[in-house]
Amino acid sequence: MNANTAIPHNPEPDWHAVAALPIVECNQPLQALGLNRALTVHPAYYKLGVPNAIAECYVRSEVFERLLQVTKWLPAGIRLVVLDAWRPFGVQQYLYDSLWDALRDYHPQADTAQLEHLTRQFVSPPSTSRTAPSPHLTGGAVDVSLCDEDGRWLDMGTGFDEASPLSASHYFEQIEQPDEQQIRIRDNRRILYNAMHAAGFSNLPSEWWHYDYGDQLWAWHKGLDAAIYGPSQVQSLDSLWRQQLEKQMQAGQVS
């Protein structure tokens, strides 16, 4: 892997084609990332006080293993930061509605179709549909950044979730005569992109921080016939107890 390979100019997803891809669910469980020492887990929405946000980041088990691969390929002194992964539906709804409202105020002449196009560049419409779920509701989408070994954020050119043209992964590759800071930003994005790409992730071109594995967006970017992750859910204590009791009943241990 060459960490300094230029980020290509990838096309914006054809969202209708993305949603049309079938999902062959592989039933990998969600796994919490917080205990892993190789990763820095910083659940951004929880820390920002977003309603219904949770204090942990969960991903599918295969995504977890691939993130560990990424940590091994990063240059010495650079750490991978996970900002968000699986989301509750309420968080997805809040993010979509909040950005929609902000864009409507900023673009008062935009119609519904234009607002939807602008909004989904940064937030997918909330959906738990078995055939077209929001990527972050599958456990396959992750939002990531980089920091140094002392926890200082690397300069990525914009903040996380900044709804700006500068957030496009390829943006700083287009500058013909970049200054020193722009070169540093470009190279930081290259480090992240190339490590994540080498581990099998795809990138959403409008967001330098957003990567996918296993969901429909990943399948579309990779030219695959199907996704392997549909909507998922963190198991509640109530559902765990019910599953345990059901197993005991089937085994004849509960009368």
Side-chain angles (χ1 to χ4, degrees), residues 190-246:
R190 286 180 178 182
I191 290 170
L192 179 62
Y193 180 91
N194 288 310
M196 294 293 288
H197 187 264
F201 291 91
S202 64
N203 171 243
L204 181 61
S206 57
E207 299 180 353
W208 59 260
W209 57 83
H210 180 105
Y211 289 84
D212 296 272
Y213 181 86
D215 58 23
Q216 288 169 305
L217 192 52
W218 164 82
W220 184 85
H221 278 296
K222 297 293 187 180
L224 301 175
D225 294 331
I228 59 174
Y229 298 155
S232 189
Q233 185 70 40
V234 173
Q235 190 174 45
S236 67
L237 182 59
D238 175 71
S239 66
L240 177 61
W241 280 342
R242 290 178 183 278
Q243 283 184 11
Q244 292 170 341
L245 288 168
E246 182 66 25

Side-chain angles (χ1 to χ4, degrees), residues 1 21 46 60-61 71 95 115 131 143 150 170 186 201 212 229 233:
M1 184 202 76
L21 283 167
Y46 178 80
R60 298 284 191 128
S61 55
T71 66
L95 296 175
L115 284 172
T131 59
D143 294 330
D150 294 316
H170 180 258
R186 182 200 67 191
F201 291 91
D212 296 272
Y229 298 155
Q233 185 70 40

Side-chain angles (χ1 to χ4, degrees), residues 134-227:
S134 307
H136 274 284
L137 272 63
T138 70
V142 290
D143 294 330
V144 290
S145 189
L146 299 173
C147 71
D148 69 16
E149 57 189 351
D150 294 316
R152 301 182 189 91
W153 295 103
L154 270 61
D155 189 353
M156 307 300 288
T158 73
F160 165 57
D161 255 3
E162 185 170 323
S164 161
L166 276 69
S167 294
S169 304
H170 180 258
Y171 183 87
F172 289 89
E173 300 286 352
Q174 306 172 90
I175 301 175
E176 293 185 2
Q177 295 182 321
D179 60 28
E180 184 176 333
Q181 181 182 15
Q182 291 167 335
I183 291 173
R184 182 165 58 252
I185 293 167
R186 182 200 67 191
D187 290 351
N188 288 341
R189 289 192 184 188
R190 286 180 178 182
I191 290 170
L192 179 62
Y193 180 91
N194 288 310
M196 294 293 288
H197 187 264
F201 291 91
S202 64
N203 171 243
L204 181 61
S206 57
E207 299 180 353
W208 59 260
W209 57 83
H210 180 105
Y211 289 84
D212 296 272
Y213 181 86
D215 58 23
Q216 288 169 305
L217 192 52
W218 164 82
W220 184 85
H221 278 296
K222 297 293 187 180
L224 301 175
D225 294 331

